[in-house]
Amino acid sequence: MTTHVVGHQASGEVRMWHGLSAHWAWLAGGMLVAFAAPYVLADVFEIDRDLFYGLYAAVVIALFAVWSRSTGYDLIAAAKRRWLAALLLGLACAGVLVAMVLRTEEATTRPDGLELVAAVAWRGVVYGIADGLLLSVFPILVVFAALAGTRLDRRRSGKIAIGAIALVASLAMTGIYHAGYSDFRSEKMRKPLAGDAIWSVPTLITLNPIGSPIAHVGLHTSAVLHSYETDTFLPPHR
């Protein structure tokens, strides 16, 4: 009986560590994708900006789908977790980011009519959701999933430590992604890193994937409406 129990425990530990290593591998792979997408599509091939947003969104959705399926992570259940708090925090952070755009960017000319509506939908909403998912939701959820059930996860102080690790992972993802654009390999990198500390808050607090994309949509939509020719919030810039 003892041998059976020990063997069962050892088998469980092997499975647990296999799951942990899988999540960390996915985090590393996600960071590679985050750099490669803008570097290859925008810097190397210099494709049209709106075509880039479509391909980028497709890559992000595919990354989430394959990660969720291969690891068994239930994104639908995550979207139901503390959804009201995630929604309110997402809107609050969106307001902060809108204020940041209005205060730091000069107003520029913009299209009107249907062209403006299309730009808001595509560059503001679609691109905003994709950015929020990749830069915040993915690294944060992966880190928490990787460390679920560990000793850190059993203590309040440990959960805070996991949150700190997740925030670092999100900052790293944001830095790596923006490094894929040639013009962000400069002092401009400080702006998205500062923004990450804001747009990551909803997902970091609730572990719900809807909050951070809402915050990002606020950021990009305000950029479209206020500073259409911005050289910060709507890359690639050429």
Side-chain angles (χ1 to χ4, degrees), residues 82-166:
R82 295 186 284 275
W83 67 268
L84 182 57
L87 175 62
L88 294 176
L89 283 170
L91 292 173
C93 290
V96 173
L97 292 168
V98 168
M100 183 175 70
V101 172
L102 296 179
R103 294 177 64 179
T104 62
E105 294 287 302
E106 294 183 0
T108 67
T109 58
R110 69 186 188 199
D112 53 20
L114 290 177
E115 186 178 353
L116 179 60
V117 172
V120 168
W122 193 246
R123 300 183 178 188
V125 178
V126 173
Y127 179 52
I129 290 173
D131 251 8
L133 289 174
L134 181 65
L135 305 186
S136 293
V137 176
F138 184 76
I140 290 171
L141 294 188
V142 168
V143 167
F144 272 90
L147 295 173
T150 63
R151 291 181 180 180
L152 278 178
D153 193 38
R154 300 184 192 121
R155 304 192 303 270
R156 182 179 296 274
S157 59
K159 291 182 184 296
I160 294 174
I162 294 174
I165 295 169

Side-chain angles (χ1 to χ4, degrees), residues 161-187:
I162 294 174
I165 295 169
L167 179 58
V168 170
S170 180
L171 287 166
M173 185 73 81
T174 295
I176 290 170
Y177 165 74
H178 284 87
Y181 300 103
S182 58
D183 59 320
F184 276 102
R185 298 170 206 147
S186 64
E187 292 184 357

Side-chain angles (χ1 to χ4, degrees), residues 9-28:
Q9 290 176 338
S11 176
E13 290 175 358
V14 169
R15 286 196 298 271
M16 182 185 72
W17 283 108
H18 175 72
L20 289 177
S21 63
H23 282 297
W24 292 123
W26 273 105
L27 181 61

